[in-house]
């Protein structure tokens, strides 16, 4: 594998992008790595193959979810491939969530962005993934209750509002006060005739 890395450097220096790409692909078959995926993505982006570049950057994030350079290149690839800015940002957040299932901040940002765009079913799924990672997050439970309520599922909404009240009472954040959560749950239950 070190020989392949040296070969890639030489191919880059010589300007032989096709040989460098083939060597990166060969190296990835032997041992997936952030660097190989990342530089393969850069080669593909330089060649104008932005969808392929995005796939390489997503794979690089799977190897190192903290790579800020990779996140920036992935967003640039989405945009260059013709994605509108908002969709490219959502794609980047979704890729970060896939790369690091425990990344609470990315899950929270993705859920919030989806809710803001009115994509409630997708927001509910993102909130469920967030709650799986951070079960004591009262705000996530409250927001999931709101999404379910807007989707017309008062039973699920009430359960999530009550979960938010319990999490808030246990110290899971002041963003979803206990009273508001109970009040919202009561409204849902009242509509259900309970």
């Amino acid at each position: 594998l070190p020989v392949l890395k040296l070969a890639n450097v030489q191919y880059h220096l010589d300007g032989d992008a096709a040989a460098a790409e083939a060597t990166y692909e060969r190296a990835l078959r032997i041992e997936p790595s952030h660097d190989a995926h990342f530089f393969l993505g850069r080669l593909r982006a330089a060649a104008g193959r932005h969808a392929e570049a995005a796939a390489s950057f997503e794979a690089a994030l799977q190897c190192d979810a903290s790579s800020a350079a990779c996140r920036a290149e992935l967003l640039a690839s989405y945009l260059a491939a013709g994605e509108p800015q908002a969709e490219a940002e959502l794609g980047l957040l979704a890729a970060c969530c896939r790369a690091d299932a425990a990344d609470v901040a990315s899950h929270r940002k993705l859920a919030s962005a989806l809710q803001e765009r009115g994509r409630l079913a997708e927001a509910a799924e993102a909130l469920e993934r967030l709650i799986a990672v951070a079960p004591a997050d009262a705000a996530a439970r409250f927001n999931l209750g709101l999404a379910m309520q807007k989707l017309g599922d008062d039973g699920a909404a009430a359960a999530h509002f009550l979960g938010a009240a319990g999490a808030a009472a246990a110290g899971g954040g002041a963003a979803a006060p206990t009273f508001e959560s109970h009040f919202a749950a009561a409204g849902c239950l009242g509509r259900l005739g309970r």
Side-chain angles (χ1 to χ4, degrees):
L1 201 55
V3 173
L4 291 176
K5 289 180 183 179
L6 289 174
N8 280 335
V9 170
Q10 189 61 51
Y11 291 137
H12 272 118
L13 292 174
D14 293 344
D16 191 346
E21 183 172 352
T23 307
Y24 281 125
E25 289 171 346
R26 185 170 169 218
L28 287 168
R29 285 191 298 274
I30 296 168
E31 180 183 330
S33 74
H34 168 272
D35 290 348
H37 283 298
F38 181 81
F39 288 112
L40 181 59
R42 302 241 1 231
L43 283 170
R44 290 173 171 171
R49 296 172 16 230
H50 302 292
E52 291 177 66
S56 293
F57 293 129
E58 287 179 13
L61 273 179
Q62 292 292 325
C63 296
D64 180 6
S66 67
S67 174
C70 190
R71 290 176 187 220
E73 292 284 353
L74 179 57
L75 180 60
S77 291
Y78 286 148
L79 293 170
E83 292 280 336
Q85 179 76 30
E87 288 302 310
E89 290 169 359
L90 287 175
L92 175 61
L93 287 170
C96 291
C97 291
R98 286 189 302 274
D100 183 0
D103 182 354
V104 172
S106 291
H107 284 290
R108 188 173 284 122
K109 288 176 187 174
L110 177 60
S112 177
L114 289 166
Q115 277 186 304
E116 288 171 6
R117 289 166 176 81
R119 293 166 61 173
L120 298 177
E122 292 171 88
E125 291 173 7
L127 287 163
E128 288 171 352
R129 288 189 298 273
L130 171 57
I131 292 167
V133 173
D137 190 324
R141 291 179 178 278
F142 187 82
N143 287 332
L144 182 53
L146 290 174
M148 297 310 291
Q149 187 178 34
K150 289 177 183 174
L151 288 168
D153 190 343
D154 282 328
H160 293 297
F161 287 136
L162 291 173
T178 304
F179 175 77
E180 288 181 16
S181 295
H182 278 112
F183 186 76
C188 291
L189 293 172
R191 284 188 295 280
L192 291 171
R194 295 183 189 165

